[in-house]
Amino acid sequence: RVTSAGLVAPQRVLVATWVAFGVAIACGIYLTVVAGIVILLIGALSIAAGVLYTGGPRPYGYAGLGEVFVFLFFGLVAVNGSYYVQVEQLDALPLGLSIAVGFLATAILVVNNVRDIETDRRAGKNTLAVRIGRESAVMLYALLVAGAFAVLPIALWAGESSMLPLIGLLAAPLALKPAKTLEERRDGPALNGVLAATGA
């Protein structure tokens, strides 16, 4: 159900969250059977990280640690865990690429926290953006996005892979406009556009 303000009712969000976790657990059990007990441990840690981001007695997302956990779980754990499930080993190539993916996922969170910096500050949510300030958070965003592109050739070289995926560097000019918008604009719609552009 969508409220008159255009927001999804909190009860719906809670139900959807638990359904998603339920599906993740079911998939995790299957993957544990296929790839071993280490996947069960990774899955349990991932679910705990998801719940504790904004839940529990001390949500780490409101203590300036959200970016660290997003980098770890949406980058390193997600990419390397997916690779491990398929080939049951770890390699330099997915490790390098997981850093690039983690940088981009973290950049999305940074945009979100820059957008909400004033409301988070008033609410006592000490996100990293609140702690380091808008200007430093905008610089962090630029470094994360640039880092994602910089890591790509290093990951391919270290993983002794084809250089064909360097075609991804052609997307680098697309990162300029969102970075400039984040630096210059403070209105929600413009920063929502930066979120979408970063994801793209």
Side-chain angles (χ1 to χ4, degrees), residues 72-98:
L72 287 174
F73 285 95
F74 283 80
L76 302 184
V77 172
V79 174
N80 291 293
S82 298
Y83 186 87
Y84 181 82
V85 163
Q86 295 175 63
V87 299
E88 296 188 36
Q89 67 181 47
L90 296 173
D91 289 309
L93 180 62
L95 175 61
L97 296 177
S98 72

Side-chain angles (χ1 to χ4, degrees), residues 83 91-97 151-167:
Y83 186 87
D91 289 309
L93 180 62
L95 175 61
L97 296 177
V151 165
L152 179 59
I154 297 168
L156 295 173
W157 174 78
E160 299 179 13
S161 175
S162 160
M163 291 293 117
L164 184 61
L166 285 177
I167 195 170

Side-chain angles (χ1 to χ4, degrees), residues 74-193:
F74 283 80
L76 302 184
V77 172
V79 174
N80 291 293
S82 298
Y83 186 87
Y84 181 82
V85 163
Q86 295 175 63
V87 299
E88 296 188 36
Q89 67 181 47
L90 296 173
D91 289 309
L93 180 62
L95 175 61
L97 296 177
S98 72
I99 293 170
V101 170
F103 281 169
L104 291 175
T106 305
I108 291 171
L109 180 60
V110 170
V111 175
N112 186 69
N113 288 341
V114 167
R115 183 197 61 200
D116 298 341
I117 195 167
E118 294 306 326
T119 54
D120 285 346
R121 183 179 284 121
R122 288 193 297 270
K125 297 177 182 177
N126 292 316
T127 63
L128 184 61
V130 169
R131 288 176 179 266
I132 67 175
R134 189 180 196 285
E135 188 175 307
S136 295
V138 169
M139 186 180 302
L140 174 61
Y141 170 83
L143 289 172
L144 288 166
V145 173
F149 287 105
V151 165
L152 179 59
I154 297 168
L156 295 173
W157 174 78
E160 299 179 13
S161 175
S162 160
M163 291 293 117
L164 184 61
L166 285 177
I167 195 170
L169 295 178
L170 294 177
L174 299 176
L176 298 176
K177 184 179 178 186
K180 186 171 176 58
T181 303
L182 184 64
E183 185 178 357
E184 296 177 351
R185 301 282 296 272
R186 293 174 182 260
D187 56 296
L191 297 184
N192 287 340

Side-chain angles (χ1 to χ4, degrees), residues 13-37:
V13 173
L14 183 62
V15 169
T17 299
W18 288 112
V19 168
F21 280 137
V23 170
I25 289 169
C27 292
I29 291 169
Y30 168 75
L31 292 173
T32 298
V33 171
V34 171
I37 196 75

Side-chain angles (χ1 to χ4, degrees), residues 55-78:
R58 301 184 73 176
Y60 65 83
Y62 301 154
L65 296 173
E67 285 78 0
V68 172
F69 280 83
V70 164
F71 175 76
L72 287 174
F73 285 95
F74 283 80
L76 302 184
V77 172

